[in-house]
Amino acid sequence: MPNYMSFVYALCAFTYLGSLSFTPYPGQFVVKALPILLLSFFSFISLKSKLKAAVVFALFASAAGDIFLALTFEGNFVLGLGCFLVAHIAYIVSFFIARIDRQGRQMETQRNPALLGVACAFVVGFSVLMAQHILPAAGDLFYPVFIYIMVITTMGITALVVARSWYIALGALVFVTSDAILAQTIFIKPITLSGFAVMLTYYAAQYLLTRGFIQAARTEQLER
C-alpha cells in the first residue's frame, strides 16, 4: 500500500479516536465510518476483478456496521452486528479468491505447520472462552451473538490457513481481539478506555487486512 494511503487513513482514524471524548456529537457516524470508506476506495483502485468486489463489499458492510453502532435507535446493535457478520463472510470469501499462498513467498518459506496449528488452536480456544464468558449475559441476543462468534472464529482460522500473509493473519487476529473487547464492554463490564481500545484495534485490523490484499495484488502484477 502506498505511503500516502497509509498516511491519509491514519489521519482520519486518529481524528476519530481523538474525538471519542466528545461523543456523542452530530455527524459522529460519518467521522467514524470515513476511515473504512477510505480503505474501500483504496481497495477499489488497487484491486481487480472478483477480489476487488469481495474486499470492497466487506469494507462497505463494515462501514455500514460502524454507522449503525454510532447511531442510537432501537435495534441499531442488531443491525450493526448483522453488517459485521456479512463483512466477515465477505472476508472469508476474499481469502479464497486471493489465493495469496502463491504470492506471499516470504511467509510461505517461513511457514511452520506446528506454529500454524498452535495459532489456530489459540483462536478456537480464545473464542470458546469468550463464548462461555459472553453468551450467558447476551440474553435475547444469545443466538445472534453465538452465530457471530462462530463466523469471526472461522474468519480468523481461514486467514491463518488460506491467506498465508502476515498482514492478513495479524489483521484477522486483531479483529478478533477488537470484537472481544467490544463484547466485554457491551455485555459484561467496560474495561478502562474500552471505547478507545475497541476502535484502535478495529482500525488497525481493517488496515492490516486491506494492506495485505493490496500488497498481494501488487506482488502478483510484478511477477507477471
Side-chain angles (χ1 to χ4, degrees):
M1 180 183 288
N3 290 335
Y4 80 89
M5 292 184 179
S6 300
F7 176 78
V8 173
Y9 176 75
L11 180 63
C12 292
F14 279 103
T15 296
Y16 181 72
L17 290 172
S19 75
L20 287 175
S21 299
F22 306 100
T23 57
Y25 54 84
Q28 175 191 347
F29 67 94
V30 176
V31 183
K32 182 181 183 182
L34 181 58
I36 307 305
L37 292 174
L38 279 173
L39 289 182
S40 68
F41 174 71
F42 296 154
S43 298
F44 182 81
I45 63 176
S46 302
L47 303 176
K48 294 182 178 181
S49 189
K50 295 180 180 179
L51 180 60
K52 174 167 69 174
V55 174
V56 170
F57 181 78
L59 289 165
F60 263 108
S62 298
D66 289 332
I67 292 172
F68 283 129
L69 293 180
L71 297 175
T72 54
F73 61 90
E74 186 176 356
N76 70 312
F77 178 77
V78 175
L79 289 173
L81 187 71
C83 287
F84 280 110
L85 180 71
V86 171
H88 291 315
I89 294 173
Y91 272 134
I92 292 171
V93 173
S94 300
F95 300 152
F96 284 100
I97 293 174
R99 297 294 180 182
I100 300 176
D101 57 330
R102 187 173 65 84
Q103 293 103 10
R105 297 180 183 277
Q106 182 176 359
M107 185 173 182
E108 178 66 20
T109 56
Q110 299 176 359
R111 194 163 184 256
N112 186 316
L115 181 60
L116 177 63
V118 170
C120 290
F122 174 80
V123 172
V124 173
F126 181 77
S127 297
V128 170
L129 290 175
M130 284 303 301
Q132 292 176 339
H133 181 58
I134 298 298
L135 289 177
D140 294 339
L141 295 176
F142 180 94
Y143 290 107
V145 172
F146 175 77
I147 294 172
Y148 185 86
I149 292 174
M150 294 288 289
V151 172
I152 194 173
T153 302
T154 303
M155 190 273 287
I157 294 175
T158 307
L160 292 171
V161 175
V162 176
R164 298 184 182 180
S165 162
W166 286 116
Y167 283 118
I168 290 178
L170 182 58
L173 295 178
V174 175
F175 216 139
V176 172
T177 303
S178 179
D179 278 354
I181 299 172
L182 179 62
Q184 168 70 25
T185 300
I186 292 176
F187 295 110
I188 308 297
K189 181 181 178 181
I191 63 174
T192 304
L193 297 175
S194 58
F196 184 85
V198 167
M199 293 309 302
L200 178 63
T201 51
Y202 169 69
Y203 283 145
Q206 294 282 28
Y207 172 80
L208 289 166
L209 288 168
T210 304
R211 185 182 180 99
F213 285 120
I214 293 177
Q215 182 185 56
R218 289 181 178 273
T219 301
E220 182 178 12
Q221 292 174 1
L222 292 174
E223 290 179 349
R224 288 181 177 178

